[in-house]
Amino acid sequence: MNFMQNALDLAKIALDIGEVPVACVIVKDGQIIGEGHNLTTLMKNATMHCEFIAVKDAKSRNPEISFQDAILYVTCEPCIMCAEFLSLICIKKVYFGCYNQKFGGNGSILNLHEGKYESIGGIYQEEAVNLLRIFYEKGNPNAPPHKRHRVLGK
Amino acid sequence: MNFMQNALDLAKIALDIGEVPVACVIVKDGQIIGEGHNLTTLMKNATMHCEFIAVKDAKSRNPEISFQDAILYVTCEPCIMCAEFLSLICIKKVYFGCYNQKFGGNGSILNLHEGKYESIGGIYQEEAVNLLRIFYEKGNPNAPPHKRHRVLGK
C-alpha cells in the first residue's frame, strides 16, 4: 500500500478547501493510525501543522498509543518545530515528499532527525510541490499581502 | 508586577500535583493573557509543554489574539520545539529562568530566537532550577526507569 499517496490525497483535499496543501499519515503495523492536513489558514494559526494534527488524531483514537514503531509519511519536509516534535514523540521513521528550503528540520536547514529517527526525503516530491505551487500561484487569501504569493524552490 | 513570580507560582502548583515544574505566563499591555504549566507527566505526552498550553489558553480567551506585542515569562529556557513555535507565533520577547542545557533552543543548544525575538535568560534561575531539583530528586514516577532521576546542570 502506498501511504505517501494517501498523504497526497489528503493534501489535495486541503487544496480544495483553500488550505496549505501539506498532509501526512502515521502508519503502524501496516495500518494508518492517524492522519491530518495543515489547518494553518482555516484556523488562522501558523502552528497548525499536519504532524501535530495527525498525532492528535492518533491519540484520540488510542490515548495509550506509542510512536516508537510508527512511520510518518508527510508530503513536505517537517519544519524545525515539527522535526523536534517528532523526535519528542520518538517516531521511528519519516518519509517526506518535497524539501522545505525555508524551515526544514530534516536536512534542509537543520538536521534535527540525526541520531533520533530515520528520515528519507524526495518521495513523490514533484506531486507534493505541484500542489503547493497551485496553492501559492492562486495566492493565499488569508496570508498577509507580502506572503500571499510564494516562489517555491526545489 | 513581577510576572516571573507568577510563572514560578504556577510551577510550584505543577510540583504539588506531581508534574514537571515548568510554567509560563504571556503578558500583553501589562496583563496576563495566557498561562500554563507543563502537563507532560499527567497527560503522558512529552510534548505538553507550558508554552503550547499558555498559547492555547490565550487563544481560548481571545481567538483573534496576536502575540507580536506579547512577552513570555517562562521558568525554564524553551526547548528547540518551543523556541521555533514561539518564532512561528511571532512572540516579541522571552524572559526565561534556568537554562535548558539538554534541549534549549534560546542559546543553550541552538539559537532559534536569533533574528526572530529577543530572549533574556537567567531571571530567578535559582528558584526555577530548585523546583526542578525537588522534582527529579524525588524521582518522576511516570518516567521510564532510566529517566526517573535526572542530574541538573546550570
Side-chain angles (χ1 to χ4, degrees):
Chain A
M1 196 173 174
N2 187 338
F3 294 111
M4 189 60 90
Q5 193 59 59
N6 293 93
L8 282 164
D9 289 346
L10 268 176
K12 279 176 205 153
I13 291 171
L15 183 66
D16 286 345
I17 59 172
E19 187 52 78
V20 179
V22 175
C24 66
V25 299
I26 305 173
V27 173
K28 197 168 165 164
D29 301 327
Q31 299 291 322
I32 291 176
I33 58 162
E35 58 186 20
H37 60 62
N38 271 32
L39 280 168
T40 49
T41 299
L42 296 177
M43 303 281 281
K44 294 188 182 173
N45 182 336
T47 62
M48 292 295 279
H49 291 182
C50 63
E51 293 90 336
F52 280 81
I53 291 158
V55 166
K56 201 173 169 190
D57 178 39
K59 280 186 172 279
S60 74
R61 297 188 200 186
N62 176 5
E64 302 294 323
I65 194 82
S66 147
F67 298 98
Q68 288 184 328
D69 297 321
I71 301 171
L72 179 83
Y73 295 78
V74 56
T75 60
C76 182
E77 180 185 353
C79 76
I80 290 169
M81 176 183 69
C82 290
E84 189 68 7
F85 170 64
L86 294 168
S87 164
L88 280 172
I89 64 163
C90 301
I91 198 98
K92 186 184 176 191
K93 192 169 181 172
V94 171
Y95 288 105
F96 66 83
C98 57
Y99 291 82
N100 183 343
Q101 301 287 15
K102 212 170 165 191
F103 300 107
N106 281 22
S108 289
I109 305 294
L110 291 172
N111 294 305
L112 294 171
H113 60 294
E114 274 184 3
K116 307 288 178 59
Y117 53 85
E118 201 182 341
S119 174
I120 297 168
I123 317 292
Y124 284 76
Q125 65 178 321
E126 209 162 320
E127 288 82 346
V129 87
N130 272 344
L131 292 174
L132 284 163
R133 249 191 214 116
I134 295 167
F135 181 76
Y136 285 111
E137 275 170 11
K138 212 187 323 179
N140 178 358
N142 290 303
H146 67 287
K147 287 188 176 173
R148 226 161 260 177
H149 296 273
R150 276 178 62 191
V151 178
L152 298 170
K154 170 183 165 191
Chain B
M1 195 175 176
N2 186 338
F3 294 112
M4 190 60 91
Q5 193 58 60
N6 294 92
L8 283 164
D9 289 346
L10 268 177
K12 280 176 203 152
I13 291 171
L15 183 65
D16 286 345
I17 58 172
E19 186 51 78
V20 179
V22 175
C24 66
V25 298
I26 304 173
V27 173
K28 197 168 166 165
D29 302 326
Q31 300 290 323
I32 292 176
I33 58 162
E35 58 186 22
H37 60 62
N38 271 32
L39 280 169
T40 50
T41 298
L42 297 178
M43 304 281 282
K44 294 187 183 175
N45 182 336
T47 62
M48 292 295 279
H49 291 182
C50 63
E51 294 90 335
F52 279 81
I53 291 159
V55 167
K56 201 174 169 189
D57 178 39
K59 280 185 173 279
S60 74
R61 298 187 200 186
N62 176 5
E64 301 296 322
I65 195 80
S66 147
F67 297 98
Q68 288 185 329
D69 296 321
I71 302 171
L72 178 83
Y73 295 78
V74 57
T75 60
C76 182
E77 180 185 352
C79 76
I80 289 168
M81 175 183 68
C82 290
E84 189 67 7
F85 170 63
L86 294 167
S87 163
L88 279 172
I89 64 162
C90 300
I91 198 97
K92 186 185 175 190
K93 193 169 181 172
V94 171
Y95 289 104
F96 67 83
C98 57
Y99 291 83
N100 183 343
Q101 301 288 15
K102 214 169 162 192
F103 300 107
N106 282 22
S108 289
I109 304 294
L110 291 174
N111 295 305
L112 295 172
H113 61 294
E114 275 184 1
K116 306 289 179 58
Y117 53 86
E118 201 182 340
S119 174
I120 298 169
I123 318 290
Y124 284 75
Q125 65 178 321
E126 209 162 319
E127 288 84 346
V129 86
N130 272 343
L131 292 174
L132 285 163
R133 254 194 209 112
I134 294 167
F135 181 77
Y136 285 111
E137 276 171 9
K138 212 186 324 180
N140 178 358
N142 291 303
H146 67 288
K147 287 188 177 174
R148 225 162 260 178
H149 296 273
R150 276 178 61 192
V151 178
L152 298 170
K154 172 181 163 189

